[in-house]
Amino acid sequence: YHRSWSITAKKLHNMQSDLINAKDEQEYDFNKNSLDKELSKIHVELKKLKGKFFNEGKIGMMEMSWLVFLDRADIINEFTKIDILENFEYLKKWQNDIKNTGIIEQSHADNFKNTYKNYIISTKGYLSSKITGETIKPVVKKKSIAEMLAASSNGCPIKRPE
């Protein structure tokens, strides 16, 4: 049980990275919907939690495996004003309970939050624009070979010399 939660935390951290790297709002929304589907499964399990933590009221392996994801979600919210956990009341409560222990701050290197903020800005994507206020241009999707063939009048996108 604990191992599957650890694996899920890693998977969600990767999905969170996809949010940060989303180049425009459309890609962000797509990635956020995927993340929300996964978070809803976790949310159901957290409703069953008796007490603050899984390990009889004290932080254990479960919480430690989720520190990175929950911490980054909090930092994203702090700098972008986008709370990726806003629809998940029990997940937010668990995040706050873990945060209130002080363990997250103890795990940070000096100036970590600003370093992470600068990383988000460096992506020059949707979340970056929420920090900098810059307007981002929607990404133009490149056509696949099949789409180019379908759009071509003679079925071949390459003109042959006559």
Side-chain angles (χ1 to χ4, degrees):
Y1 185 72
H2 292 321
R3 182 167 165 74
S4 66
W5 272 66
S6 295
I7 291 167
T8 301
K10 181 171 175 44
K11 177 182 176 182
L12 292 173
H13 179 64
N14 290 337
M15 294 175 86
Q16 190 178 54
S17 293
D18 290 342
L19 284 181
I20 292 168
N21 288 297
K23 294 299 176 196
D24 58 22
E25 188 172 8
Q26 181 180 357
E27 184 180 354
Y28 174 86
D29 288 342
F30 177 83
N31 293 339
K32 178 70 167 82
N33 287 335
S34 298
L35 178 64
D36 283 354
K37 286 177 189 173
E38 294 300 318
L39 290 176
S40 66
K41 297 173 191 174
I42 304 305
H43 199 248
V44 168
E45 292 299 315
L46 284 170
K47 284 182 181 180
K48 302 173 190 174
L49 185 63
K50 293 179 170 87
K52 291 182 178 184
F53 309 116
F54 283 92
N55 192 20
E56 299 177 12
K58 56 187 176 194
I59 283 202
M61 184 178 151
M62 296 281 271
E63 289 79 19
M64 295 303 285
S65 66
W66 280 74
L67 276 179
V68 172
F69 175 81
L70 296 172
D71 179 38
R72 301 314 188 267
D74 194 45
I75 295 170
I76 290 167
N77 183 26
E78 180 179 337
F79 290 111
T80 67
K81 305 303 179 218
I82 294 176
D83 184 359
I84 64 173
L85 304 178
E86 71 182 336
N87 298 322
F88 303 99
E89 167 190 359
Y90 294 99
L91 194 50
K92 290 275 306 167
K93 182 184 178 318
W94 193 46
Q95 177 193 39
N96 286 326
D97 288 341
I98 294 170
K99 186 177 177 181
N100 288 337
T101 67
I103 196 160
I104 292 175
E105 288 300 322
Q106 292 172 19
S107 71
H108 281 179
D110 291 342
N111 205 24
F112 175 76
K113 285 185 178 185
N114 280 327
T115 301
Y116 196 71
K117 176 184 82 169
N118 289 335
Y119 161 67
I120 295 170
I121 291 170
S122 75
T123 66
K124 300 201 180 300
Y126 179 71
L127 287 180
S128 171
S129 73
K130 297 299 180 185
I131 297 171
T132 64
E134 293 177 13
T135 303
I136 56 170
K137 297 175 185 164
V139 175
V140 177
K141 184 183 168 207
K142 293 180 181 176
K143 290 185 179 183
S144 69
I145 293 173
E147 290 170 322
M148 288 189 289
L149 286 172
S152 173
S153 61
N154 63 0
C156 181
I158 301 171
K159 288 195 171 198
R160 294 186 178 173
E162 298 195 25

